[in-house]
Amino acid sequence: MSQPNDVVVERLISSAHPAFAGHFPGAPVLPGVALLSEVMEVLVAHAMAPASALGTWDGVKFFAPVGPGALLSISLRARAPGFAFEVSQGATAVARGQWVPLSAHTLSS
């Protein structure tokens, strides 16, 4: 169930997406890093993170492949110290995890 401050955005993954070019010939699959890039673009577009933000991806799990032409639903929810996300294609969960800004991490020397 959505909360008032949740963001839910649909993204169409074009069959012309450059990541499909060599990943994998004959059976294209969107690489996980490209999927996380889609999530980050939504975070930035909705002013949930600045474009220059450094952060980490925590607890990310990939559940199903994404192919050309997929219509994805990207859901974001504030969860201290960052944002929880879930990506789905219809009723199928594709990925979930959390993005945490680097400033939230304690750096040790």
Side-chain angles (χ1 to χ4, degrees):
M1 176 180 280
S2 293
Q3 300 297 319
N5 295 326
D6 289 357
V7 171
V8 179
V9 174
E10 287 191 340
R11 301 285 290 245
L12 179 63
I13 306 302
S14 170
S15 59
H17 192 293
F20 291 128
H23 202 264
F24 296 96
V29 175
L30 190 69
V33 68
L35 185 60
L36 293 177
S37 178
E38 295 288 330
V39 173
M40 192 69 202
E41 286 179 19
V42 174
L43 281 165
V44 170
H46 290 274
M48 299 173 101
S52 62
L54 297 177
T56 61
W57 298 99
D58 288 347
V60 175
K61 303 279 187 207
F62 298 98
F63 304 110
V66 174
L71 181 60
L72 302 178
S73 176
I74 299 175
S75 303
L76 304 171
R77 173 177 290 171
R79 187 169 84 190
F83 295 91
F85 73 89
E86 182 167 327
V87 180
S88 57
Q89 183 176 2
T92 303
V94 171
R96 74 173 58 106
Q98 184 170 1
W99 180 82
V100 179
L102 192 58
S103 60
H105 291 281
T106 303
L107 300 176
S108 59
S109 45

